[in-house]
Amino acid sequence: MQNQAMTVVALIVAAGRGTRAGPGAPKQYRQLAGEPVLRRTLRAFCLHPEIDLVMAVIHPDDREAYEAASAGLPRLAPACEGGPTRQASVLRGLEALAAHKPGRVLIHDGARPLVKPDIISRSIQALDRHKGALVAVPVTDTIRRVSDGMAGETVPRDGLWRAQTPQSFHFDAILDAHRKAAGGELTDDVAVAAAAGMAVATIEGDETNMKITSAEDLARAGRLLAAGRESRTGSGFDVHRFGPGDHVMLCGVRVPHTHGLVGHSDADAGLHALTDAILGALGNGDIGRHFPPSDPQWKGASSDRFLAHAARLADEAGARIVHVDVTLICEQPKIGPHADAMRARIAGILEIDLSRVSVKATTTEGLGFTGRGEGLAAQALATLSFG
């Protein structure tokens, strides 16, 4: 851990029940474009280069759901359990983070999954000049008082802003403020800071940094993600020659054959091509860069490890694997009887639905090295969605 003056931590508040989102799981665990809301929120901070550590405050009943939603994310400390109010939950989280001796903390709602990296960066930078900073957006609508259902006088909107998160602070100052305010029910951390006499600066936020409260909010967030989503396609190709053996490994499935395949690992051309396709969509080199054949630790290695690594890199980059397509090129062995098992194996490694996986085969009509039975080839395409 870096020295206290430089260490920046994020506290993600996710202990609420979210009843206004309707029946079912709490809103932070609802699916948003194929992922739990909370995973998207956590990843925004876990992958930000200026954040050193991330901790979530969760409801004690949500432990299993949280572990599933947060699996594999970097820089993530074990979650702590929240209290009966938001204020109590934040205090518990700050007390748990105190052992790391951070210098700065960003406190963020778990149900705000669309926070942009720029907002996080500006929240951190504001603490160079201030003890606290609030992300907010100016009120643009006309504001009126209402009494007994009747429209009353207009409230001047000059100087009115709608608070968002993250709300950032010097760690020791906000921890002290929360300790002094313990037992209250203040609605956000700026109110806690103000009660302790702390001046808090304002940073202009973004309308897309919305808090998901209702089912309608969840639908709107999905539309915003779809509008800003980028798709990329990568391709992969691999060849292995036949050698001694009684089976070949193809797309993670053992297929009986008169020969084996020669390679440094298990020579699974299908998974090798698919691994390269995913890495290509990520712009992250090729399989040889990540698993050099000159490295003895990969001798005889099962190629599912390579594909799982590529899937993990995609997840860390905020990408979703939308579809993969593998074509095996050989005269023998016959692929058809094993194609469904291969699809299922790939879907399991990538943790995607079977409908998103295609495996098929073709021959070269007796032409070339595959036609002569000297080896086989595989090509693959992978489509990833970012955003």
Side-chain angles (χ1 to χ4, degrees):
M1 188 66 69
Q2 302 174 25
N3 66 67
Q4 183 175 2
M6 296 300 293
T7 301
V8 182
V9 297
L11 182 64
I12 309 302
V13 187
R17 309 320 292 145
T19 55
R20 282 180 287 175
K27 61 189 178 183
Q28 60 268 38
Y29 298 104
R30 301 284 180 96
Q31 292 290 303
L32 173 58
E35 289 187 305
V37 168
L38 183 56
R39 183 173 185 83
R40 290 183 173 274
T41 305
L42 290 169
R43 186 169 56 221
F45 290 86
C46 288
L47 299 186
H48 194 283
E50 296 175 80
I51 299 291
D52 299 298
L53 187 72
V54 179
M55 179 182 288
V57 185
I58 65 172
H59 193 279
D61 293 344
D62 296 341
R63 178 67 61 176
E64 185 175 345
Y66 173 77
E67 295 299 337
S70 62
L73 292 176
R75 307 179 197 168
L76 195 59
C80 75
E81 294 184 357
T85 65
R86 184 189 188 281
Q87 184 179 335
S89 292
V90 172
L91 176 56
R92 288 189 183 185
L94 293 172
E95 296 285 10
L97 282 168
H100 299 277
K101 301 187 182 302
R104 302 175 180 189
V105 60
L106 277 64
I107 304 172
H108 187 70
D109 296 327
R112 290 187 190 268
L114 306 186
V115 60
K116 294 179 179 178
D118 175 64
I119 288 178
I120 297 173
S121 293
R122 288 189 288 115
S123 295
I124 297 170
Q125 292 161 9
L127 297 180
D128 291 340
R129 304 177 302 279
H130 308 281
K131 283 192 174 183
L134 163 70
V135 173
V137 291
V139 172
T140 57
D141 295 326
T142 296
I143 305 296
R144 289 187 180 275
R145 297 190 187 279
V146 175
S147 177
D148 295 326
M150 304 300 291
E153 74 274 18
T154 299
V155 178
R157 62 178 180 243
D158 294 344
L160 294 181
W161 290 61
R162 289 186 287 113
Q164 297 182 334
T165 64
Q167 297 177 5
S168 54
F169 304 93
H170 289 199
F171 185 86
D172 290 344
I174 194 63
L175 174 58
D176 182 63
H178 263 281
R179 285 172 173 169
K180 290 177 179 176
E185 294 191 25
L186 297 173
T187 58
D188 73 355
D189 304 291
V190 170
V192 173
M198 190 189 310
V200 177
T202 301
I203 300 168
E204 185 160 358
D206 191 302
E207 290 290 350
T208 63
N209 184 25
M210 58 181 289
K211 184 176 183 180
I212 294 175
T213 301
S214 65
E216 291 76 16
D217 292 335
L218 195 62
R220 180 188 167 212
R223 292 192 296 270
L224 288 170
L225 277 174
R229 190 171 293 141
E230 173 190 4
S231 291
R232 301 183 199 167
T233 299
S235 65
F237 183 80
D238 194 46
V239 172
H240 284 283
R241 62 184 176 86
F242 287 126
D246 61 1
H247 73 279
V248 294
M249 291 299 298
L250 289 174
C251 296
V253 174
R254 181 186 174 103
V255 178
H257 189 45
T258 56
H259 295 80
L261 287 171
V262 177
H264 187 66
S265 62
D266 63 3
D268 189 329
L271 293 191
H272 292 181
L274 183 52
T275 299
D276 263 351
I278 295 172
L279 292 173
L282 294 170
N284 203 342
D286 60 19
I287 193 171
R289 172 179 158 188
H290 293 262
F291 304 97
S294 58
D295 190 336
Q297 71 171 307
W298 307 121
K299 183 173 178 59
S302 177
S303 295
D304 59 352
R305 298 172 62 184
F306 306 158
L307 185 59
H309 173 76
R312 186 163 54 253
L313 292 178
D315 184 64
E316 291 175 358
R320 184 165 67 99
I321 299 173
V322 176
H323 186 261
V324 297
D325 182 19
V326 179
T327 302
L328 300 171
I329 306 165
C330 58
E331 303 290 334
Q332 293 290 337
K334 295 300 182 184
I335 303 303
H338 307 282
D340 287 344
M342 293 176 181
R343 291 179 63 217
R345 181 69 179 122
I346 290 172
I349 297 168
L350 296 179
E351 298 182 356
I352 61 176
D353 191 83
L354 185 64
S355 65
R356 299 183 182 275
V357 181
S358 170
V359 174
K360 56 191 184 298
T362 190
T363 71
T364 56
E365 300 293 335
L367 301 175
F369 74 92
T370 59
R372 294 190 297 270
E374 297 171 1
L376 57 75
Q379 62 183 26
L381 292 175
T383 302
L384 275 60
S385 177
F386 295 75

